[in-house]
Amino acid sequence: MNKALCSNSILSQLGSGITGAMLTGALALSVCAVTGGGLFAFVLCCVVCFVFSAINKSKVFAPHVFLLLPLFYVLSNGSTLACGLSVALGGLFYLCLTKFVKKAPVPDFIASGMGLGIAVGVTILLTNAYFGIGANSFIPFDMLKEFRSLGFHPNFRGLFYGTITLFAMITYPFKFKRLNRYLPAAFVTLLIPYVFNLFLNPHRDFTTINESASLIFADGIKTELSSFLEISVKDIPYILKGSVGFGAILFVFGDSDTLTCPANCTSGLLSGIPVKAYPIKGYGTISAVTSTIIIVLLVLLCPSAFSRLPLHCAGAMLIVSAWQSLPTASLKALFKERNFIKIIMMVLCGVVFVLTDIFTSVLAAFILWAIFGKPSKKEVN
């Protein structure tokens, strides 16, 4: 009996390890693709996630699309190391917020406004990858202005691949709810167009679409390390401003997980990628070892295969993931309350995240929270 239970536990952990590798791997790969990260950053981010997931056991860490808004902001103005430091400081800022603002829950209009604003902002930024427009802005409103000057001239084959991902990402979790627990939508919706691309566009040298060219072992470890370690005094303001964005988003949309801070600090310093915990069943030490072996072996055995991922698909998958991450409970509660002032504040909060940089947006959201977020007498009683 005990042997049977032990065997089931091992098999369960192996299965969770495969699922975790698919989920974390797909999200980390997509984030590296749209931000220009390399395979070393991808592997390091995955390994850090698996290690902390083994400690956590009920959750698996992976990059979260909401955290792309501050990530783009820091990367646009600083080096990869600057981004890593900003992610690490963001984890510490998140820890401070959980300690000092713990007794004051985030109001529904703030969570809803920030969620909508970030989702729209991330969608605008990632539309550049989805359509293959070739813009270079990293603030949503600036990106919109660049879209206007460049015009929409998408690569239609790339757009076709991205649209497959878009529709599959929307329908798959609803049509295959049970299967989605074992084969995550993020992985499946990248795999389908990836296979299409290999058959329809077999020759790398003659590719007709934007592929994830950064996902290669460039000129070796020394070259990537030297580029990673580049940093300037000019990066400091962006590091500090970005850290506020990372910490605030983790606080509002994260949970009370005690490993969120160390996971972000470690992942940030090693790979420059922020992470968040996702629920998963039966994840343990065996799962973490399984996940790590899968990712490392894939990178060692077929490193060039990762660079064939259509960039359009990575952008489309992350766009849908952003909208699926909306705080639906807060939105429902807000409209059920029918407080028009709070609804207006929600809209205002969302607009700020589209028009300004992440630091200004978070500051405005917290000011609105301080002014309009006081509980009414009915709520207190």
Side-chain angles (χ1 to χ4, degrees):
M1 183 68 177
N2 290 333
K3 289 183 178 179
L5 288 173
C6 183
S7 177
N8 288 334
S9 177
I10 292 173
L11 289 174
S12 176
Q13 285 202 44
L14 286 172
S16 297
I18 296 171
T19 301
M22 291 177 182
L23 177 62
T24 301
L27 289 169
L29 195 68
S30 296
V31 169
C32 286
V34 299
T35 58
L39 278 181
F40 285 113
F42 165 68
V43 173
L44 288 172
C45 175
C46 288
V47 171
V48 169
C49 287
F50 300 147
V51 170
F52 282 97
S53 300
I55 301 171
N56 204 331
K57 294 185 179 180
S58 61
K59 297 176 182 177
V60 62
F61 283 94
H64 193 271
V65 68
F66 271 17
L67 297 168
L68 282 179
L69 208 57
L71 189 66
F72 273 119
Y73 172 75
V74 183
L75 279 176
S76 66
N77 299 283
S79 63
T80 307
L81 179 57
C83 190
L85 291 172
S86 185
V87 173
L89 289 174
L92 295 175
F93 182 60
Y94 160 80
L95 184 63
C96 293
L97 287 174
T98 55
K99 293 291 183 182
F100 297 107
V101 199
K102 192 174 182 180
K103 294 182 180 180
V106 181
D108 291 327
F109 76 94
I110 292 295
S112 301
M114 286 183 66
L116 286 170
I118 293 172
V120 172
V122 168
T123 299
I124 293 170
L125 293 174
L126 292 177
T127 297
N128 185 44
Y130 176 25
F131 281 75
I133 298 171
N136 295 304
S137 298
F138 295 92
I139 294 175
F141 188 63
D142 292 342
M143 183 69 83
L144 285 175
K145 290 190 290 185
E146 196 163 353
F147 286 167
R148 182 181 179 185
S149 63
L150 291 173
F152 281 85
H153 303 289
N155 180 303
F156 285 100
R157 179 176 287 187
L159 187 62
F160 167 66
Y161 292 154
T163 304
I164 291 175
T165 298
L166 193 75
F167 281 103
M169 191 71 181
I170 294 170
T171 58
Y172 176 80
F174 294 100
K175 293 290 185 180
F176 306 96
K177 290 183 179 179
R178 293 188 64 183
L179 186 61
N180 187 42
R181 299 175 187 173
Y182 308 101
L183 292 174
F187 171 78
V188 173
T189 55
L190 287 183
L191 180 64
I192 296 172
Y194 177 82
V195 174
F196 266 113
N197 186 45
L198 292 182
F199 278 99
L200 299 178
N201 198 23
H203 301 291
R204 180 195 309 274
D205 296 334
F206 302 102
T207 182
T208 57
I209 65 166
N210 296 333
E211 296 180 353
S212 306
S214 65
L215 290 168
I216 56 173
F217 286 117
D219 296 319
I221 298 176
K222 289 183 179 179
T223 304
E224 290 211 22
L225 280 177
S226 61
S227 63
F228 179 83
L229 294 175
E230 291 178 357
I231 193 166
S232 169
V233 177
K234 296 179 181 179
D235 298 337
I236 295 176
Y238 301 104
I239 292 172
L240 296 176
K241 289 180 178 180
S243 67
V244 173
F246 287 121
I249 291 172
L250 284 171
F251 177 73
V252 175
F253 302 103
D255 48 32
S256 57
D257 197 300
T258 56
L259 292 175
T260 296
C261 175
N264 270 278
C265 290
T266 308
S267 178
L269 292 174
L270 292 179
S271 66
I273 301 175
V275 297
K276 179 181 174 290
Y278 293 76
I280 191 172
K281 291 184 178 180
Y283 204 91
T285 305
I286 296 175
S287 305
V289 173
T290 303
S291 300
T292 303
I293 290 174
I294 291 172
I295 295 297
V296 172
L297 281 180
L298 284 173
V299 171
L300 290 177
L301 295 177
C302 45
S304 60
F306 292 90
S307 62
R308 296 304 315 273
L309 174 70
L311 199 58
H312 312 266
C313 302
M317 189 272 281
L318 292 172
I319 287 173
V320 179
S321 181
W323 289 100
Q324 290 175 343
S325 300
L326 284 177
T328 52
S330 295
L331 282 165
K332 289 179 181 178
L334 179 63
F335 283 100
K336 190 176 181 180
E337 187 181 352
R338 295 183 181 179
N339 187 322
F340 292 104
I341 294 178
K342 289 185 178 180
I343 292 175
I344 292 172
M345 291 304 104
M346 176 200 71
V347 174
L348 180 61
C349 182
V351 169
V352 170
F353 272 85
V354 176
L355 297 180
T356 63
D357 63 79
I358 187 64
F359 176 75
T360 306
S361 303
V362 167
L363 190 62
F366 275 63
I367 291 173
L368 289 174
W369 180 357
I371 297 173
F372 299 97
K374 295 179 181 179
S376 62
K377 293 182 179 179
K378 291 181 180 180
E379 292 173 332
V380 172
N381 295 329

